[in-house]
Amino acid sequence: MATGRTHRPATRSRGIPEATVARLPLYLRALTALSERSVPTVSSEELAAAAGVNSAKLRKDFSYLGSYGTRGVGYDVEYLVYQISRELGLTQDWPVVIVGIGNLGAALAGYGGFASRGFRVAALIDADPAMTGKPVAGIPVQHSDDLEKIIAEDGVSIGVIATPAGVAQAVCDRLVAAGVTSILNFAPTVLSVPDGVDVRKVDLSIELQILAFHEQRKAGEELGEETAPAAPPAARTTSDSARTGADNGRATADSARSAADGGRKGPDGDAPAVMPA
Amino acid sequence: MATGRTHRPATRSRGIPEATVARLPLYLRALTALSERSVPTVSSEELAAAAGVNSAKLRKDFSYLGSYGTRGVGYDVEYLVYQISRELGLTQDWPVVIVGIGNLGAALAGYGGFASRGFRVAALIDADPAMTGKPVAGIPVQHSDDLEKIIAEDGVSIGVIATPAGVAQAVCDRLVAAGVTSILNFAPTVLSVPDGVDVRKVDLSIELQILAFHEQRKAGEELGEETAPAAPPAARTTSDSARTGADNGRATADSARSAADGGRKGPDGDAPAVMPA
DNA sequence: CAGTGTGAAATCTTTCACAGCG
DNA sequence: CGCTGTGAAAGATTTCACACTG
């Protein structure tokens, strides 16, 4: 499955596995902490512990970047911080726009982790006129009418969607049309994007559901594991309808991305909008 | 990412692959949407498109749950909704506590996706006395002094950490000691938990960094790809020491998939103490 | 005959374990 | 001697492709 984009012409060994790319930020964080404490070097064992992985995996990951360690000693912290930052493209500045300034958008806007890495919040955008001009986290909110102009002027290529699910696809379309090629989606919807655009999804409710699955299993293990009999609620007949759940209106959230695999762009083909309009 | 937990005791016929479990919530959401529109059946092709995966994968996933489809026809929506909900443990109610009611915590508290699934926000907890009693999303915030009592009384087994990184481990320890066995961590820290406790991490800055990696690659491809020279910033070859506080008893939970980091107010928020003391 | 269910092949990841360098 | 770097083995996940059934 091509990375969405054309595959590398087999030329360079530039082929870093997605699983490794997903861990690079983890290592970088641990290394930065060490760096701040002026720790000069670390062994794979120590760094692995700090990053929460095992040392064999870490060494293998680093081997894809090159041989940056010293046998018998370990890795030079500063040097590695630089190499990984470069590999991730953090040595340059990435202007980012956040669309949808509700509680979540505000939380994201105020997140210090942005600036400390190569990211800069170029603009906060919201469709509510009442929000326009209001400063959030020190940055004045701009109206969505100006979305295209903002993106063009700042040369933004990364957009964060923190809007309600209902308008996420529309916002996404505008972002893409305006030139954004990477999107971080917090709305519980599957976004369809043209080839060449990357989408990563973050979904709170999905994570909880996965936890629930394991939690349930734990509970079952304590007893004799009943393996649920699977009694259908009303036999499998078609017709009928109306979800019983307390679905009070809008959709529920989920859909998730695996850090392990590259959260590529949308569906294989063109996901037909499932949104109830 | 089978976190802390031990491996499948081999006995389990309930051996559903992690990758599949992670996609179940996606299918569930797509199915719920169909259900609301009173669509009686779907083919693997249609459902796959709606969920953003390919049909072969979906069919394989479902095959782990059993044969719930009808050849030549497809799947009964209602029936499948029930089966997946049960498999995920969503047919029961999961009380959840959210610790750290900053912007992010508030966003989570007001997130409708929780209630509509099997989750119920049992309590909002914050260490700031000024917050105590203040209602957020209709739920009064309680002081962290009562954390243990709250968890015990409500039988909470899932906790969400939305605090600044600096106190995340301490909060985690208290949650675990009080009986919580599943944690969703929004703080940018690697949490250490005893065996048997699951931790999933959501980190915004990690997601952005992964996007940056791909974004950078795109830019590079447009030209002739320069593959950066990799000039070290200084390269220090120090001798030794640096004994990081490496492992302290507990196991390091990694798991984690997506990422979105918490906004909370703290100025730092990233690359904080990876190993205090 | 449309569409599921599934062995088997193709890929991707993780883990092992050890040669070899500083 | 200690620790990195890495082939090779072991696992996990995805994709194929097709027999088979309602």
Side-chain angles (χ1 to χ4, degrees), chain B residues 1-196:
Chain B
M1 311 346 205
T3 310
R5 306 218 83 283
T6 18
H7 283 277
R8 229 183 286 308
T11 330
R12 215 66 333 107
S13 55
R14 273 263 87 68
I16 301 175
E18 263 305 305
T20 294
V21 171
R23 279 187 297 267
L24 255 23
L26 266 176
Y27 301 143
L28 184 55
R29 177 160 66 69
L31 284 165
T32 301
L34 291 173
S35 173
E36 279 164 6
R37 284 195 287 153
S38 303
V39 175
T41 58
V42 253
S43 66
S44 60
E45 203 69 58
E46 296 169 320
L47 184 54
V53 303
N54 76 326
S55 63
K57 196 185 292 183
L58 177 145
R59 287 203 302 281
K60 179 62 101 181
D61 282 341
F62 285 180
S63 79
Y64 291 119
L65 307 184
S67 296
Y68 298 148
T70 304
R71 293 171 192 243
V73 179
Y75 302 90
D76 179 275
V77 175
E78 292 302 319
Y79 187 61
L80 209 41
V81 164
Y82 172 74
Q83 289 301 341
I84 294 179
S85 294
R86 185 174 56 73
E87 199 63 64
L88 286 172
L90 303 179
T91 48
Q92 64 181 284
D93 190 68
W94 293 104
V96 172
V97 295
I98 299 176
V99 185
I101 314 301
N103 264 325
L104 178 63
L108 296 175
Y111 182 47
F114 284 174
S116 59
R117 282 283 172 281
F119 306 97
R120 174 171 54 83
V121 178
L124 301 183
I125 302 175
D126 199 284
D128 181 1
M131 290 289 292
T132 306
K134 220 172 97 182
V136 170
I139 303 169
V141 175
Q142 293 180 267
H143 192 271
S144 49
D145 282 350
D146 303 322
L147 187 149
E148 286 76 10
K149 197 185 68 188
I150 296 167
I151 289 175
E153 285 178 0
D154 286 288
V156 175
S157 56
I158 299 178
V160 176
I161 297 178
T163 67
V167 300
Q169 182 64 62
V171 166
C172 174
D173 290 344
R174 286 183 64 185
L175 287 174
V176 171
V180 166
T181 45
S182 286
I183 291 175
L184 182 51
N185 179 33
F186 284 86
T189 314
V190 174
L191 295 178
S192 296
V193 295
D195 223 55

